Amino acid sequence: MADFDVVVIGAGPGGYVAAIRCAQLGLSVACVDAGINAQDKPSLGGTCLNVGCIPSKALLESSENFERVTHDFAAHGISADNARIDVTKMLARKNKIVSDFTQGIVQLFKKNKVVSLFGTAQLAGRDGELWRVAVTGGEEVRAKHVIIATGSTPRVLAQAPFDGATIVDNAGALSFSETPKRLAIIGAGVIGLELGSVWRRLGAEVTLLEAAPAFLPAADEQVAKEALRVFGKQGLKIHLGVQIDGVAQAAGEVKINWRDVQGAAQELVADKLIVAVGRVPNTHGLGADAVGLKLDAAGRVEVDEHCRTSLPNVYAVGDVVRGPMLAHKASEEGVMVAEIIAGQAGHCDLNLVPGIMYTAPEIAWVGKTEQQLKAAGVAYKAGQFPFMANGRARALGETTGFVKILADAATDRILGVHIIGPMASELIQQAVLALAFSASSEDLARTIHGHPTLSEVIHEAALAVDKRTIHI
Ligand code: FAD
Ligand code: NAI
């Protein structure tokens, strides 16, 4: 039995980053991970690297390139007749990116002297000051501190259990061996829209069935409205306020019986069905009950603002705790906890976590939405500027969308920034930095922005808060 300063359970972006940061700070660390890949081989990196952020972005890029070739290049005078997509090659490229990165974590662990253990870890009680952590296979390790970073798994819809072939979760949807002709998706959230976009661009007829009456309720309402318009125009059929009555499979097809927002019975037949109705925290097998680890009503590990659990020296980070289920949030919490364990002042402000959707156009935001400010009774000013009036966006041929900045009416402090448009995922970082430094909209307005760049739309939106845009 080996003893460590810290045992990290889970090697996703929460766990592997926490383990590396602990090691950087001079702590001895073991990281136990149960993740396996499609070949049943241990694979570090969690959901993000194996079946989440990285493979989805690889397919989004490939499919967007295909759409550009087949739809957009003609406007540049470029003809690419008979362009075809080789799905097998596209998947091989995606798989190579994934395996390079998961292998990269193996190397990073070696470099930082993090001991990597394969298996499912369970909290097995205490020996004095040390926590005992049992790993499947019989091994046991002990550590003064434990960081739980066990992530999340797809929520199963009772009417449509996953079969890995016709009814699939995110992992299956990232690996269709050919483009389905008719693709149904239950849940028009982030996964539904990103992966629905991938397969639509490659030729699938995509229909999304969404239970909520409002589209993308977490986004700013105006952004959500524009997104719904644009995605509809692209060909995604999105039905809101639906109820799923039943799902049945026959002869390689899947039939979904659903009710529309008026309650009228509808039927949808598809070749594949993706169910993407949110994710549930991964706490089974952890031994929570036996050691008295408190879970909240949603089954997440209960933590305070420093990710401390109900147990002494046991922390939890990432998807398994409250807050948005995002890789960068998980990593930042991992860093915070490592620094707290090492005696430093760790900090992670959940108000500064950007939300990003890698659709086309991309959607990104940070801080409060207009509807949140209204609900909280905060007096605010808004400034907005369209990509259509931006030279770089015109050159790119990507003119859909806008930037909206919300600032406190009295102090001018920026409270929220909302972007729908090209490279919103990159542009939002300027806004995150502005919020992190408590910038005012005037600070952004007085910052020199390079020309011609997409970031000038942020500059003009800041000028718009003071009603002094130059270019409209
Ligand atoms: P995970 O990444 O889920 O890792 C948890 C690890 O713990 C896994 O390896 C698991 O096997 C292991 N584990 C679980 N229980 C045990 C146990 N008892 N013992 C040992 N090991 C255990 N987020 C973004 O920020 N940007 C994106 O673009 C993005 N795209 C996504 C696309 C898809 C399709 C999906 C599904 C998710 C996406 N996410 C994205 C979300 C992101 O993947 C998660 O927020 C992130 O992976 C959470 O990190 P984590 O470390 O908390 O958990
Ligand atoms: P989600 O929460 O984004 O969307 C799920 C959708 O399913 C919601 O709109 C919900 O109303 C709907 N829904 C729930 N039950 C339903 C039912 N019975 N019938 C029809 N619709 C139903 O969750 P999703 O898309 O599964 O993704 C999980 C998480 O993964 C996200 O919350 C996000 O945190 C993360 N993710 C992040 C990405 C990014 O950062 N770009 C990309 C993909 C996933």
Side-chain angles (χ1 to χ4, degrees):
M1 186 187 314
D3 291 352
F4 296 88
D5 293 323
V6 185
V7 167
V8 182
I9 305 178
Y16 83 74
V17 170
I20 291 172
R21 186 73 188 120
C22 283
Q24 283 176 345
L25 292 166
L27 299 161
S28 61
V29 199
C31 182
V32 190
D33 188 73
I36 48 168
N37 60 19
Q39 290 74 46
D40 276 347
K41 293 265 169 12
S43 186
L44 301 176
T47 303
C48 172
L49 265 62
N50 290 282
V51 287
C53 325
I54 299 302
S56 60
K57 267 76 257 180
L59 295 190
L60 279 156
E61 197 59 38
S62 296
S63 61
E64 199 170 351
N65 281 336
F66 183 65
E67 179 140 285
R68 286 191 184 119
V69 171
T70 48
H71 290 82
D72 304 339
F73 278 8
H76 295 263
I78 302 169
S79 51
D81 301 337
N82 302 321
R84 282 185 308 280
I85 180 84
D86 181 338
V87 171
T88 308
K89 213 163 174 179
M90 176 183 79
L91 294 184
R93 174 183 181 272
K94 179 253 315 177
N95 292 340
K96 166 94 169 60
I97 294 170
V98 168
S99 66
D100 284 354
F101 271 108
T102 54
Q103 277 307 309
I105 309 287
V106 175
Q107 296 311 321
L108 287 173
F109 275 2
K110 277 192 187 140
K111 180 183 152 207
N112 287 283
K113 301 192 172 46
V114 173
V115 174
S116 184
L117 301 171
F118 173 69
T120 302
Q122 186 174 16
L123 286 167
R126 299 194 90 181
D127 279 346
E129 278 245 291
L130 298 179
W131 280 101
R132 287 168 41 224
V133 176
V135 183
T136 44
E139 192 164 353
E140 190 166 297
V141 285
R142 297 191 307 181
K144 177 146 189 234
H145 304 271
V146 176
I147 303 174
I148 299 168
T150 48
S152 63
T153 41
R155 187 158 81 78
V156 179
L157 201 60
Q159 302 103 315
F162 303 116
D163 67 7
T166 308
I167 304 179
V168 299
D169 61 7
N170 51 294
L174 289 162
S175 299
F176 291 144
S177 55
E178 56 186 38
T179 304
K181 193 169 169 316
R182 299 160 302 175
L183 173 62
I185 304 178
I186 300 182
V190 200
I191 293 180
L193 291 166
E194 287 189 358
L195 296 182
S197 296
V198 165
W199 296 107
R200 180 200 59 75
R201 292 167 187 163
L202 302 183
E205 280 168 33
V206 180
T207 308
L208 294 109
L209 302 175
E210 166 60 47
F215 185 59
L216 293 179
D220 188 87
E221 268 170 12
Q222 210 181 336
V223 168
K225 195 171 157 208
E226 175 70 350
L228 186 60
R229 185 189 71 79
V230 176
F231 297 153
K233 213 168 135 205
Q234 290 172 352
L236 290 179
K237 291 189 195 120
I238 302 171
H239 299 280
L240 301 174
V242 315
Q243 187 191 310
I244 307 296
D245 283 340
V247 177
Q249 285 194 63
E253 287 185 341
V254 57
K255 195 199 287 177
I256 303 146
N257 288 98
W258 56 284
R259 263 163 221 286
D260 65 21
V261 71
Q262 277 89 33
Q266 306 282 353
E267 186 181 282
L268 175 67
V269 179
D271 303 298
K272 299 279 182 193
L273 168 62
I274 302 173
V275 178
V277 291
R279 297 177 63 84
V280 290
N282 225 338
T283 51
H284 70 274
L286 255 183
D289 281 353
V291 289
L293 177 70
K294 258 201 197 162
L295 306 183
D296 67 16
R300 298 170 296 208
V301 178
E302 202 170 282
V303 288
D304 67 9
E305 74 274 22
H306 289 119
C307 290
R308 291 190 175 95
T309 71
S310 57
L311 299 174
N313 295 341
V314 178
Y315 299 80
V317 302
D319 281 12
V320 79
V321 304
R322 85 285 174 265
M325 288 184 166
L326 297 172
H328 41 285
K329 177 262 191 185
S331 298
E332 210 46 45
E333 286 181 336
V335 168
M336 169 181 75
V337 165
E339 293 180 350
I340 289 172
I341 291 172
Q344 299 186 356
H347 179 70
C348 176
D349 184 348
L350 292 185
N351 192 43
L352 295 181
V353 178
I356 303 168
M357 276 180 46
Y358 296 81
T359 44
E362 293 183 343
I363 295 172
W365 69 85
V366 62
K368 304 292 181 213
T369 61
E370 215 167 332
Q371 62 267 27
Q372 283 173 328
L373 294 177
K374 278 183 189 148
V378 177
Y380 64 91
K381 310 176 276 184
Q384 192 171 318
F385 196 82
F387 282 96
M388 181 59 99
N390 173 267
R392 189 70 188 279
R394 292 290 281 268
L396 287 169
E398 296 189 31
T399 51
T400 304
F402 55 84
V403 173
K404 178 156 100 178
I405 296 181
L406 305 170
D408 188 281
T411 65
D412 193 35
R413 183 176 173 168
I414 299 171
L415 303 173
V417 178
H418 304 274
I419 307 176
I420 174 165
M423 302 306 276
S425 55
E426 300 293 339
L427 294 175
I428 198 65
Q429 281 312 130
Q430 183 184 165
V432 178
L433 201 62
L435 262 76
F437 284 80
S438 305
S440 62
S441 79
E442 186 184 348
D443 289 330
L444 269 188
R446 289 188 182 281
T447 301
I448 300 172
H449 286 69
H451 174 78
T453 61
L454 295 172
S455 64
E456 286 175 291
V457 181
I458 295 187
H459 186 225
E460 288 273 13
L463 291 170
V465 174
D466 199 30
K467 300 194 175 22
R468 58 186 188 98
T469 54
I470 299 290
H471 291 97
I472 49 172

